[in-house]
Amino acid sequence: MRASPSVATGATDEASDGAVPGERGEARGSGPGPVLVAACLGLFTVFLQTTETIGTLGAVQAGLRVEPADMVWVPSMYTLVVASCVLGGGALADRWGRRRVFLAGTAAMAAGALVLTLAGDLTTVLVGQAVAGLGGALITPSSLALITHAVRDPRRRAGAISAWAAASGLGLALGPLVAGLALRWWTWHTAFWLNIVMAALAAAVALVRVSESRNPAARRVDWAGQCTAAAGLALLVFWLIDGGHHGYGSARAVAAAAAAVLLLAAFIAVELRHRAPMVDLRLMRDPSYSASLLLAGSVLFGFVGLSLLQVMWLERVRGLTALQVGVQLLAEFGAFIAASVLAGIFVRRLGPRALITAGLLLAAVGAALFARIEPDTAFTGYAAAFVLFGLGCGLANAPSTALAVSHVPRGREGEAGGTVNAARQIGAVLGTSILGTLITSGFVERLVRVHDPRAAFTDAVGHATWVAVAVLLLGAAVAIGLSARSRRTRLATATG
């Protein structure tokens, strides 16, 4: 497969499978279609891993006889590795080749799933989650970079990113169902076989139909930036997760937070002085770019954080099995997928800021409805909350990502993908850790007063959900301010 060099604003981008003259730098034999298929398959696997793990937690704890305090690290290990390594994964994609990094990610994802299918103790499970997390950290930014490189037109690109985002919702939706079916007919190990198959399919499409591309101006790897960023983010995520369960004031939590601050400060110093930084922090001077990262994090804070609360409430209060939980959550995740598709259509007419604002407001309404549930509320009583919340998050998710990518020069798609996905993953970690901590502390306090575990847990879930509502409304306010600033800029340009 061959590709031609391309010239774009601020950077030069090339394909590395033997450059020949061609139209607009499109790789011959590698159109946007196959790229989108490969990218969606890869991202589907990344998010499938997330909810599969949550769906199998009870069986893992019972089968391996794990203490409850240690179980928090089964899903958290995956999140920790993804969040700490995703920034470096995007930079490596620009330097070493987007397809090459994507293929490495699918290999790591399949290897991690294979370890999980063979795991017989907690240590092996954590190793499998860490290896899969590395795969997720490589797949997520490189898949987005492949799309943004292949689709040149900004509005078509927004539609492609919407399809990519819908794949994440499909993975989240099917994870509980796969886990539930595995637990009903086999063991929890068998749930992860699907991840191996999906990773292999993504790799096959990429190998056969996707050409290599990279940014030739960014071939030198910024190892100092890579190491300080990964270590600093890992300690920050560790502090968020561990502190949420053992107290943020403990000696271990304080030490982790202090080390994270020092390492991230060192990362900033390194990047500002490096000639070819992993992340150009000067891009943060653009308020629109910085705000788009905040919006991307806010969407995932609400979506992933509240989804976890819903799973916990359905299992512990409603007493549903993993399969039943997966079926009921299809109302939310199905709405998320549908809204992601609609966002790809409407973004061409309305622009990303309007969709982000509408989506965050709609998600806040759905979350507020869920916050009012009672222990005996039936599915018909919270189905509307699920649908509205899923629709809102679906409308805001892809446009917030597309908005961030649109603010970087061409040739640096991997860097932009890594940065926005780091913001997304940190938002997801904050959502699960903060809301999870609020449930834990709130449940203990309320149980003393009401002496009814189901009522106490429901009250704690409602209290934590209102925090998610506040974050979503804050994000909507930022989006409104961003739209107003954009209108003032256009008016000034027109009159100047």
Side-chain angles (χ1 to χ4, degrees):
M1 290 177 285
R2 296 181 179 268
S4 63
S6 65
V7 179
T9 304
T12 302
D13 203 36
E14 71 174 12
S16 61
D17 285 351
V20 297
E23 184 181 358
R24 300 181 64 192
E26 294 286 354
R28 293 187 177 181
S30 176
V35 171
L36 185 59
V37 170
C40 288
L41 287 172
L43 192 69
F44 169 85
T45 311
V46 171
F47 281 84
L48 178 69
Q49 176 83 19
T50 301
T51 47
E52 271 180 348
T53 301
I54 294 173
T56 57
L57 282 179
V60 171
Q61 182 177 1
L64 302 182
R65 298 180 181 179
V66 180
E67 294 295 327
D70 296 328
M71 280 303 297
V72 65
W73 286 108
V74 175
S76 298
M77 180 60 72
Y78 179 74
T79 304
L80 187 151
V81 176
V82 172
S84 59
C85 296
V86 70
L87 198 60
L92 289 177
D94 281 343
R95 286 157 174 76
W96 286 353
R98 293 150 190 153
R99 186 183 70 161
R100 183 175 291 112
V101 171
F102 180 81
L103 291 172
T106 58
M109 181 63 70
L114 181 60
V115 171
L116 288 169
T117 63
L118 303 174
D121 54 63
L122 178 61
T123 301
T124 308
V125 169
L126 295 181
V127 169
Q129 289 287 75
V131 174
L134 178 60
L138 296 177
I139 290 173
T140 305
S142 61
S143 61
L144 180 58
L146 285 171
I147 292 173
T148 53
H149 171 70
V151 184
R152 303 297 179 90
D153 181 74
R155 295 192 179 274
R156 287 183 59 208
R157 178 187 297 170
I161 291 176
S162 295
W164 175 81
S168 68
L170 184 60
L172 289 171
L174 293 184
L177 292 176
V178 173
L181 289 172
L183 293 175
R184 182 171 183 177
W185 299 107
W186 300 286
T187 69
W188 64 266
H189 300 81
T190 57
F192 298 97
W193 277 109
L194 181 59
N195 303 47
I196 300 175
V197 174
M198 299 308 299
L201 285 174
V205 175
L207 279 170
V208 175
R209 299 298 305 276
V210 178
S211 295
E212 185 60 281
S213 65
R214 62 166 62 90
N215 179 7
R219 285 178 178 171
R220 185 178 178 183
V221 178
D222 175 15
W223 288 115
Q226 295 272 7
C227 294
T228 52
L233 287 172
L235 285 170
L236 176 64
V237 175
F238 175 85
W239 171 71
L240 289 170
I241 295 172
D242 190 69
H245 292 272
H246 299 100
Y248 291 105
S250 65
R252 183 168 63 179
V254 171
V261 170
L262 290 175
L263 284 166
L264 292 176
F267 166 72
I268 293 173
V270 167
E271 297 304 280
L272 290 176
R273 298 180 62 182
H274 204 284
R275 291 184 178 181
M278 180 180 71
V279 175
D280 189 353
L281 297 177
R282 296 172 182 84
L283 293 172
M284 302 295 179
R285 296 173 181 173
D286 183 349
S288 297
Y289 180 70
S290 299
S292 65
L293 297 180
L294 179 62
L295 291 172
S298 299
V299 174
L300 266 291
F301 179 100
F303 187 53
V304 177
L306 189 54
S307 295
L308 176 63
L309 300 191
Q310 292 165 343
V311 170
M312 295 174 66
W313 183 79
L314 290 171
E315 289 182 344
R316 300 186 183 186
V317 177
R318 298 295 298 159
L320 303 184
T321 65
L323 182 58
Q324 290 171 327
V325 170
V327 171
Q328 290 204 1
L329 285 177
L330 283 177
E332 180 169 298
F333 293 133
F336 177 90
I337 296 168
S340 296
V341 175
L342 291 175
I345 298 172
F346 292 145
V347 73
R348 303 182 182 184
R349 300 178 181 178
L350 304 176
R353 296 174 185 85
L355 287 178
I356 294 169
T357 303
L360 288 171
L361 290 174
L362 192 60
V365 172
L369 289 176
F370 182 71
R372 301 170 63 85
I373 55 170
E374 299 292 338
D376 295 323
T377 303
F379 176 70
T380 54
Y382 51 82
F386 280 14
V387 172
L388 289 175
F389 182 70
L391 285 173
C393 290
L395 284 177
N397 185 37
S400 65
T401 302
L403 185 63
V405 172
S406 68
H407 283 279
V408 299
R410 183 162 181 80
R412 298 164 68 180
E413 293 91 348
E415 176 186 331
T419 305
V420 69
N421 280 301
R424 286 159 51 88
Q425 292 298 330
I426 291 173
V429 171
L430 285 171
T432 54
S433 59
I434 291 176
L435 299 184
T437 301
L438 289 173
I439 283 185
T440 302
S441 59
F443 173 67
V444 174
E445 294 174 1
R446 287 164 174 75
L447 187 59
V448 174
R449 297 199 304 267
V450 301
H451 304 292
D452 181 354
R454 294 175 70 248
F457 195 83
T458 301
D459 287 346
V461 167
H463 175 70
T465 301
W466 284 116
V467 174
V469 172
V471 171
L472 293 168
L473 290 176
L474 177 62
V478 171
I480 292 171
L482 194 58
S483 296
R485 182 180 184 276
S486 178
R487 285 193 297 270
R488 289 195 301 269
T489 301
R490 290 197 302 268
L491 182 61
T493 302
T495 57

